[in-house]
Amino acid sequence: MIRLEGISKRFGDQVIIPPTDLTVNEGEFLTLLGPSGCGKTTLLRMIAGLETPSSGKIFLADKEVTDLPPYRRDVNMVFQHYALFPHMTVEENIRFGLKMKKVDLQEQDKRVEQVLAMTRLQDLRHRYPKQMSGGQQQRVAIARALVNNPKVVLLDEPLGALDYQLRKNLQLELADLQYDLGITFVYVTHDREEALTMSDRIIVMNKGLIEQDGRPGEIYHRPGNEFVAKFIGETNFFDLGDGLTTLLRPEKLNLCPEEGDDGAHPAPHFFGTITDVVFYGTIDKVFVDLDGSKQEVVAYQYFDDARKWRMDERVGIWWYPQDEVKLSK
């Protein structure tokens, strides 16, 4: 559905995005994930036509659109702060784009009713933005993007301004809506949990570069480098002296008493002292200082674990070989 060939962006002498290739499949929910300033929004804006590439080509459904203005590209964009017209009702905001395109009135009515139902806004159609919650306004912004039947919807941190619980609810709503519609979504966020929860595929970006491209489970469990491992979730790194760094997620790290090995699991790789146990609701985080180093690692303790670890206890640290990820130093 989208193909970028050698796309780059410079501002003066500063390279924001070096020449980059990227393909987005039809009907895919693809997320551009990375820290602030990594280039993900710039990439999205070039697809939308709001930024001009310094080099390269952009194709939409195999048609080159590199030099086309935004209104001639079959894409719609949803922004973080909604950009609704305050003097228009919900229905008028949604209908506005169709009027500008001079769509037949009967067709306008049909499409507006469809997206109102899709986004569960029928009962709010006569309200103004100031009379609505942040979550309701965001649904209006999404409905306005969908009413034009675009090939692609581009979303720039659309849930970033919402409170935590509402954001969690809308993540699931948005992912379900995209799945039901089958429209290609390209979504920008710096929220790792959001990306893992919603996406079919994640592009992890850093300083304008694509660090890894893969499915959420692959990105989390098999990160391609140290940056991705650290950015996508909590991580422990171990130097086993073989020229590689071994990566273990906290849920894959296991603790056992220092004294004796019952043979029920692999022998401990390291020993250490518990420095803190912190309650996090569904888990406790157990922090361990490794012997002979200044390194601290973290393991998870679950509410139904038979053994409850306490501060100052001595422990062995072990893991199953299939759970480790080895990265070149």
Side-chain angles (χ1 to χ4, degrees):
M1 182 55 69
I2 299 171
R3 193 169 81 252
L4 309 183
E5 293 183 354
I7 282 294
S8 71
K9 184 64 180 177
R10 291 174 170 271
F11 291 112
D13 293 334
Q14 187 177 8
V15 178
I16 305 301
I17 298 176
T20 298
D21 296 335
L22 178 64
T23 298
V24 183
N25 301 312
E26 184 174 0
E28 187 170 46
F29 194 128
L30 179 128
T31 296
L32 302 175
L33 173 67
S36 298
C38 74
K40 55 190 186 295
T41 293
T42 300
L43 199 60
L44 194 77
R45 288 173 65 84
M46 286 194 288
I47 295 171
L50 300 174
E51 294 280 359
T52 304
S54 300
S55 67
K57 295 179 180 180
I58 300 173
F59 295 86
L60 178 64
D62 286 330
K63 175 187 175 184
E64 187 178 353
V65 297
T66 314
D67 298 319
L68 292 184
Y71 68 89
R72 292 188 58 196
R73 302 186 187 202
D74 202 357
V75 303
N76 269 29
M77 194 154 177
V78 179
F79 299 92
Q80 180 173 346
H81 296 292
Y82 323 135
L84 301 179
F85 295 112
H87 61 288
M88 293 184 185
T89 64
V90 168
E91 183 174 334
E92 289 168 341
N93 263 284
I94 294 171
R95 191 184 292 270
F96 181 78
L98 299 176
K99 289 174 69 176
M100 290 299 99
K101 290 186 174 183
K102 296 183 169 54
V103 173
D104 174 78
L105 185 58
Q106 192 173 357
E107 179 67 14
Q108 285 185 34
D109 291 341
K110 176 185 170 185
R111 290 206 213 166
V112 169
E113 290 303 322
Q114 283 177 338
V115 297
L116 283 170
M118 250 182 255
T119 51
R120 302 199 310 280
L121 289 167
Q122 299 101 312
D123 295 340
L124 303 175
R125 65 196 306 151
H126 300 304
R127 289 196 189 180
Y128 291 91
K130 66 182 179 182
Q131 298 172 314
M132 304 171 71
S133 70
Q136 290 167 338
Q137 290 184 55
Q138 189 55 271
R139 292 219 302 274
V140 176
I142 291 165
R144 188 176 59 183
L146 295 175
V147 78
N148 290 312
N149 294 335
K151 287 187 170 69
V152 178
V153 176
L154 308 174
L155 303 103
D156 188 10
E157 307 223 26
L159 309 183
L162 305 178
D163 65 63
Y164 178 81
Q165 192 54 55
L166 182 56
R167 197 164 70 243
K168 297 295 123 187
N169 293 340
L170 279 180
Q171 284 173 13
L172 297 177
E173 284 187 24
L174 198 54
D176 288 345
L177 182 62
Q178 186 274 336
Y179 180 81
D180 291 341
L181 294 173
I183 295 176
T184 305
F185 273 28
V186 182
Y187 192 96
V188 161
T189 185
H190 62 271
D191 186 314
R192 299 89 162 153
E193 185 180 336
E194 196 164 272
L196 292 170
T197 301
M198 301 172 71
S199 315
D200 296 319
R201 184 171 142 226
I202 297 173
I203 305 289
V204 183
M205 294 184 66
N206 180 34
K207 298 178 180 177
L209 298 171
I210 294 176
E211 296 281 357
Q212 191 167 352
D213 174 351
R215 299 183 68 80
E218 176 190 348
I219 295 282
Y220 182 81
H221 291 295
R222 298 289 162 188
N225 58 45
E226 191 169 317
F227 172 83
V228 175
K230 287 180 176 178
F231 189 78
I232 208 73
E234 211 161 14
T235 310
N236 299 299
F237 295 94
F238 296 92
D239 183 359
L240 300 183
D242 54 3
L244 298 172
T245 298
T246 296
L247 176 157
L248 269 298
R249 297 292 186 192
E251 65 270 22
K252 303 297 186 182
L253 207 63
N254 301 293
L255 306 179
C256 63
E258 179 184 35
E259 66 282 353
D261 178 13
D262 59 11
H265 53 71
H269 294 83
F270 295 92
F271 293 92
T273 302
I274 296 175
T275 56
D276 207 354
V277 180
V278 181
F279 174 66
Y280 274 82
T282 54
I283 60 165
D284 295 335
K285 290 186 180 181
V286 182
F287 295 88
V288 181
D289 272 355
L290 300 185
D291 291 351
S293 76
K294 296 180 180 179
Q295 185 179 352
E296 182 181 69
V297 297
V298 60
Y300 290 164
Q301 174 174 272
Y302 297 90
F303 74 95
D304 58 350
D305 285 353
R307 174 71 184 254
K308 296 298 183 184
W309 300 103
R310 298 288 180 261
M311 282 182 61
D312 299 325
E313 283 191 282
R314 296 281 302 160
V315 292
I317 297 168
W318 63 276
W319 57 82
Y320 293 107
Q322 64 267 28
D323 291 333
E324 65 184 12
V325 177
K326 292 191 175 181
L327 304 174
S328 299
K329 290 182 181 177

